[in-house]
Amino acid sequence: MAKLVVTLNGAVVGNHFIDQARIAIGRRTGNDIQLDSPGVSKEHAVIQAVGNDHIFEDLGSTNGSTVNGTRVGRHILQNGDVIGLDAYQVKYINVKANPEMDFDRTLMINTSELEIGIPRDAAGKTGRSHAPVPTARPSRRAGFPLGGVRDLHGKFAENEIELEQPLKTFGTAGQQTAVIMRRPQGYFIAHVEGNKSARVNGQAIGEGLQALQDGDLIEVGQEKLEFFLK
């Protein structure tokens, strides 16, 4: 089981096993990991389980977050990554973290590039990060055909979006969100947020990873998408 080791000024102040789908981190009482520092926002960040991966996301905090010293908005955690939250450091330990592709390792996703990603509300609780962060280029070793989605209903109706990055988020923040992952063997969709999971061809995808096939119809949040392969 993956765990988080919290340190302050070099001293260990907490150990937390990741035994739930969503870990909230912040200064406010009620967070799963409470960090008592004025430089930590009340609702600073979350770590969400997606398949076998864990994704760290800054929630529009005042002072931002870093992973291994680099400011990030969203990051797929790898074993040994160190998250910086003001004076605190949170080390992610997971010997089973998936290293199967170059672009799955130390991946940092600029959420400003998510065309139909998760918008933030005025309080900055969930969604896009305004901090510029580097993005990883897809590995040329990936032999599976490039895929994409057509937005059939919603803000970007009739647009085609290529899924070149390893992970892309879709849905409605606070209600229902899912991610589509690009892996060597194909594309997969996984539930991230909401009481009900996304649907593929009318069937709920549940909590695991589901492979996507050319022509699959995806319903998530207010979005209706058609997956395609080129």
Side-chain angles (χ1 to χ4, degrees), residues 15 45 51-52 70 75 105 115 167 170 175 183 213 226:
N15 287 275
N52 293 324
T70 300
H75 177 91
R105 295 178 66 83
E115 292 89 348
L167 180 149
F170 298 92
Q175 297 180 25
R183 294 294 175 87
Q213 307 294 328
E226 181 185 6

Side-chain angles (χ1 to χ4, degrees), residues 111-129:
T111 54
S112 67
E113 294 181 356
L114 299 182
E115 292 89 348
I116 53 175
I118 308 176
R120 293 191 181 278
D121 58 22
K125 290 185 177 179
T126 54
R128 299 189 179 195
S129 167

Side-chain angles (χ1 to χ4, degrees), residues 8 18 43 50 53 57 62 80 83 101 105 123 129 147 209 225:
L8 178 64
I18 304 179
E43 297 176 352
V50 179
D53 295 316
E57 182 180 0
T62 301
I83 303 165
M101 298 193 71
R105 295 178 66 83
S129 167
L209 292 178
L225 311 164

Side-chain angles (χ1 to χ4, degrees), residues 49-223:
V50 179
N52 293 324
D53 295 316
H54 291 102
I55 301 173
F56 172 84
E57 182 180 0
D58 184 276
L59 298 179
S61 64
T62 301
N63 294 314
S65 306
T66 63
V67 174
N68 302 328
T70 300
R71 186 162 176 141
V72 301
R74 184 177 290 142
H75 177 91
I76 299 179
L77 292 167
Q78 298 295 324
N79 184 41
D81 279 350
V82 177
I83 303 165
L85 305 167
D86 192 44
Y88 287 91
Q89 290 190 319
V90 181
K91 186 172 184 179
Y92 174 76
I93 300 176
N94 183 8
V95 295
K96 295 183 179 180
N98 185 6
E100 72 179 337
M101 298 193 71
D102 290 343
F103 61 86
D104 271 340
R105 295 178 66 83
T106 61
L107 172 70
M108 286 161 284
I109 301 170
N110 185 344
T111 54
S112 67
E113 294 181 356
L114 299 182
E115 292 89 348
I116 53 175
I118 308 176
R120 293 191 181 278
D121 58 22
K125 290 185 177 179
T126 54
R128 299 189 179 195
S129 167
H130 300 291
V133 295
T135 56
R137 289 182 177 273
S139 169
R140 293 184 179 276
R141 290 186 297 144
F144 200 82
L146 180 65
V149 293
R150 299 181 183 92
D151 192 359
L152 304 178
H153 172 72
K155 182 178 178 181
F156 297 89
E158 300 182 4
N159 281 3
E160 289 190 358
I161 300 170
E162 291 186 348
L163 299 173
E164 295 180 315
Q165 296 296 330
L167 180 149
K168 210 165 186 67
T169 309
F170 298 92
T172 303
Q175 297 180 25
Q176 187 184 55
T177 57
V179 292
I180 295 178
M181 303 177 182
R182 187 183 184 196
R183 294 294 175 87
Q185 63 270 40
Y187 285 87
F188 298 82
I189 187 170
H191 175 72
V192 174
E193 180 184 22
N195 293 329
K196 295 182 179 180
S197 64
R199 301 173 72 85
V200 174
N201 300 326
Q203 300 296 316
I205 64 173
E207 295 297 328
L209 292 178
Q210 178 166 326
L212 290 173
Q213 307 294 328
D214 187 42
D216 279 348
L217 297 179
I218 302 166
E219 297 173 81
V220 54
Q222 302 300 314
E223 303 295 337

